[in-house]
Amino acid sequence: MPFRLLAPLGLLCLLLPLHRGAPGPDGSAPDPAHYRERVKAMFYHAYDSYLENAFPYDELRPLTCDGHDTWGSFSLTLIDALDTLLILGNVSEFQRVVEVLQDNLDFDIDVNASVFETNIRVVGGLLSAHLLSKKAGVEVEAGWPCAGPLLSMAEEAARKLLPGIGTFIVEFATLSSLTGDPVFEDVARVALMRLWESRSDIGLVGNHIDVLTGKWVAQDAGIGAGVDSYFEYLVKGAILLQDKKLMAMFLEYNKAIRNYTRFDDWYLWVQMYKGTVSMPVFQSLEAYWPGLQSLIGDIDNAMRTFLNYYTVWKQFGGLPEFYNIPQGYTVEKREGYPLRPELIESAMYLYRATGDPTLLELGRDAVESIEKISKVECGFATIKDLRDHKLDNRMESFFLAETVKYLYLLFDPTNFIHNNGSTFDAVITPYGECILGAGGYIFNTEAHPIDPAALHCCRRLKEEQWEVEDLMKEFYSLKQGKSRFQKTTMSSGPWKPPAGPGTFSSAENHDGVREKKPTKQRIPLLSCPSQPFTSKLALLGQVFLDSS
């Protein structure tokens, strides 16, 4: 009987020593300042160990104090850790690493590399670092953020990934906006639409599809491995691009997911065509879901599911890769915890939305567990088996890119990432003045933050300039009681070829200078005149729907 083992194993977690900053007898929440410093120390123990023992390999092997290549040969840990350095306030090391990457990173090599992992870690990491360079004190070239060495490297890597494109809308739409080349966003949109068109009659998708035949190889439908980034990027792509169609697609999926896979605030795996349960398991990768729910304003459901997942963490001191929900125990050969970030990520989002101290307690438990179980002389080791705390000789790069970053941001409410728009930077580009750093950062699935305002810095269309001028003229005309211009609002729908020529209407032709020109549906430079899709409020990257 597996339940006989739960009590002694649970005690392993309960007996972890309480440190200063943990809740006291009065139930006070963990002290954020204390745990912020603890997290920072965790980062540098891991980061310094990588530099001393593993660089220029992709990742550190902490038990043997050496390195190995995993997802290519790109010094992945260095790229993945770069924006974390700035979030922790280390501008000098950020600047040094940028120089190292410029001098040493080479994509003209013959290696087997994962398309997905290269995109989220390398392309995403370089794009984020590029957009944060000026904030980090890097001397940027004229034309930034529409040009720069890190952007060029990201573009070079992305072009090599084009033949195998997947659901990369966050990174590839950002690339298209910054470089002016629409090919990246176009192919990413095609991938999203192909999956949408392949859903079953009951609205579900499987977790593995043959891209050549379009047939589903694995027909298990859920929210975890294989489809997690797809759902995540529908929501984040919708927010980043203010795209009502992407949000509508996710909300349709969300209905089917709730109808067929949700049971008592757990999400099971079901047969995509029939909706019958195929795997009653929780995968640790699924722990991103409460954070995603918070982004659409579904806070109550998010918290209930989060608390379910948190009980698993308390049981083992981490999240096993697979957890059998009916049995309340791990699944054979899936007992490990490779220091994944997803539950901590959800805690960070939900704490920003609710301020619930329970979420800080998860952060405390994560710090205590990881330090107690996983810390070794040369970094932090993957936990091979949560039942007996055996370790494996690997420290994945996402530990520094995601796990530590989300922990730090959970305990650092005043970090620039959490900016509410009260401060910003005005940057002059070849296309005019651009506002950056106002907040609302969108994290890619490797926790690399993208400034959504940057997408409007390098693609100011003539039509958009005219629209702004028309709106300003209308404003002043109305103010003077002489309304002469008819207001126009550009569509915030997806970027696609127009059905026919379009015009911006006005009562006059502005002295005949502007002729009717064909237009594409584009995201407006200024989205203030109208709220996108059905949102009432978009703040700090969160979208609150009418029904919330």
Side-chain angles (χ1 to χ4, degrees):
M1 289 289 293
F3 287 100
R4 292 180 181 175
L5 299 174
L6 297 185
L9 287 169
L11 286 175
L12 289 175
C13 191
L14 296 174
L15 291 175
L16 290 174
L18 290 178
H19 291 255
R20 182 177 62 83
D26 61 350
S28 58
D31 175 22
H34 167 77
Y35 278 99
R36 191 162 60 242
E37 293 306 309
R38 293 271 298 278
V39 173
K40 186 179 289 188
M42 288 173 60
F43 173 85
Y44 284 113
H45 178 64
Y47 180 75
D48 291 344
S49 294
Y50 167 77
L51 291 180
E52 293 168 7
N53 300 286
F55 177 78
Y57 291 103
D58 281 339
E59 292 178 347
L60 169 70
R61 297 201 300 179
L63 301 184
T64 52
C65 298
D66 57 11
H68 63 153
D69 286 331
T70 52
W71 299 111
S73 185
F74 309 123
S75 302
L76 276 182
T77 297
L78 199 63
I79 298 173
D80 252 353
L82 185 49
D83 50 34
T84 309
L85 284 166
L86 183 60
I87 287 172
L88 269 59
N90 194 337
V91 295
S92 60
E93 181 64 4
F94 183 101
Q95 294 169 9
R96 187 191 73 82
V97 172
V98 167
E99 292 181 2
V100 170
L101 293 177
Q102 289 178 211
D103 293 340
N104 296 282
L105 195 57
D106 181 13
F107 297 112
D108 191 20
I109 55 177
D110 185 14
V111 295
N112 290 322
S114 164
V115 173
F116 175 77
E117 299 294 344
T118 302
N119 174 65
I120 65 172
R121 302 188 195 210
V122 177
V123 178
L126 291 172
L127 282 174
S128 177
H130 165 71
L131 292 175
L132 293 172
S133 291
K134 190 174 180 66
K135 186 173 189 65
V138 175
E139 186 174 347
V140 297
E141 64 183 59
W144 181 92
C146 312
L150 294 177
L151 177 60
S152 296
M153 286 189 281
E155 182 180 5
E156 181 185 359
R159 288 197 183 280
K160 294 182 181 295
L161 304 181
L162 283 173
I165 187 65
T167 54
F168 300 168
I169 192 66
V170 169
E171 297 85 4
F172 275 41
T174 301
L175 263 178
S176 283
S177 297
L178 296 178
T179 64
D181 188 342
V183 66
F184 300 106
E185 182 174 348
D186 288 347
V187 296
R189 285 189 179 276
V190 168
L192 291 177
M193 292 308 301
R194 291 293 180 267
L195 285 174
W196 171 253
E197 294 163 357
S198 300
R199 68 196 189 282
S200 69
D201 291 340
I202 60 175
L204 297 173
V205 291
N207 60 57
H208 185 72
I209 192 171
D210 187 323
V211 296
L212 297 178
T213 65
K215 303 294 184 182
W216 288 102
V217 177
Q219 298 181 1
D220 297 304
I223 59 172
V227 292
D228 49 350
S229 64
Y230 176 49
F231 295 139
E232 179 183 3
Y233 274 22
L234 285 176
V235 172
K236 292 183 175 179
I239 299 171
L240 182 70
L241 302 173
Q242 296 290 277
D243 190 314
K244 57 187 178 183
K245 187 171 184 178
L246 295 183
M247 181 59 74
M249 289 163 61
F250 175 78
L251 294 177
E252 281 299 307
Y253 279 127
N254 196 37
K255 290 178 185 177
I257 289 167
R258 293 170 70 170
N259 285 338
Y260 293 100
T261 76
R262 188 175 70 165
F263 295 88
D264 294 331
D265 299 309
W266 294 95
Y267 292 84
L268 312 183
W269 290 82
V270 302
Q271 213 284 337
M272 65 176 288
Y273 294 104
K274 300 176 182 178
T276 53
V277 175
S278 59
M279 293 190 297
V281 300
F282 157 61
Q283 298 179 355
S284 62
L285 284 171
E286 297 170 16
Y288 79 98
W289 188 256
L292 198 66
Q293 289 176 300
S294 78
L295 290 181
I296 63 168
D298 192 5
I299 303 299
D300 290 341
N301 284 320
M303 280 298 298
R304 286 196 293 269
T305 297
F306 174 86
L307 292 174
N308 279 347
Y309 298 167
Y310 188 13
T311 62
V312 179
W313 183 287
K314 289 179 177 179
Q315 184 177 339
F316 296 102
L319 290 186
E321 293 286 70
F322 280 33
Y323 178 83
N324 187 303
I325 297 169
Q327 294 182 1
Y329 204 60
T330 61
V331 174
E332 187 178 359
K333 298 182 180 179
R334 295 291 188 274
E335 305 94 346
Y337 171 56
L339 310 183
R340 291 197 187 277
E342 283 77 16
L343 189 61
I344 301 163
E345 172 188 2
S346 286
M348 189 274 291
Y349 279 119
L350 284 168
Y351 187 68
R352 295 294 298 166
T354 68
D356 189 328
T358 302
L359 301 155
L360 294 181
E361 292 171 16
L362 177 277
R364 172 208 63 200
D365 291 350
V367 171
E368 304 292 356
S369 294
I370 292 171
E371 285 198 334
K372 179 72 174 180
I373 303 170
S374 179
K375 187 176 182 180
V376 294
E377 181 181 353
C378 295
F380 292 86
T382 286
I383 301 172
K384 185 176 183 178
D385 192 329
L386 279 166
R387 298 171 304 175
D388 56 16
H389 297 172
K390 288 182 180 177
L391 301 179
D392 202 2
N393 193 18
R394 187 173 184 185
M395 186 182 80
E396 295 232 30
S397 68
F398 61 64
F399 178 66
L400 295 180
E402 302 184 74
T403 308
V404 171
K405 182 183 294 163
Y406 285 132
L407 274 172
Y408 192 80
L409 290 173
L410 174 63
F411 291 118
D412 189 16
T414 62
N415 196 278
F416 75 87
I417 289 291
H418 298 316
N419 186 7
N420 62 4
S422 58
T423 61
F424 56 85
D425 298 315
V427 178
I428 302 299
T429 77
Y431 305 90
E433 188 176 61
C434 178
I435 300 299
L436 293 173
Y441 291 91
I442 302 297
F443 289 98
N444 86 333
T445 200
E446 190 77 2
H448 295 304
I450 301 295
D451 187 342
L455 274 66
H456 303 285
C457 289
C458 309
R459 64 178 190 184
R460 181 171 293 182
L461 305 178
K462 210 63 176 176
E463 299 95 323
E464 292 173 335
Q465 295 178 14
W466 294 351
E467 181 192 12
V468 174
E469 292 173 18
D470 288 350
L471 289 171
M472 293 302 295
K473 289 180 180 179
E474 178 188 15
F475 172 77
Y476 286 113
S477 296
L478 289 172
K479 189 175 181 180
Q480 298 169 5
K482 299 178 181 179
S483 179
R484 296 181 299 161
F485 298 92
Q486 181 180 345
K487 180 179 178 180
T488 61
T489 304
M490 296 186 69
S491 169
S492 60
W495 187 2
K496 60 184 180 181
T503 61
F504 291 90
S505 60
S506 66
E508 304 174 12
N509 196 32
H510 304 285
D511 300 325
V513 175
R514 300 174 189 164
E515 300 176 356
K516 294 181 179 180
K517 295 179 179 291
T519 63
K520 292 182 179 180
Q521 283 192 322
R522 300 267 187 157
I523 301 164
L525 179 65
L526 299 179
S527 57
C528 301
S530 63
Q531 283 290 338
F533 32 95
T534 60
S535 67
K536 287 185 176 179
L537 175 66
L539 179 63
L540 296 174
Q542 294 188 342
V543 177
F544 299 90
L545 302 179
D546 290 338
S547 59
S548 63

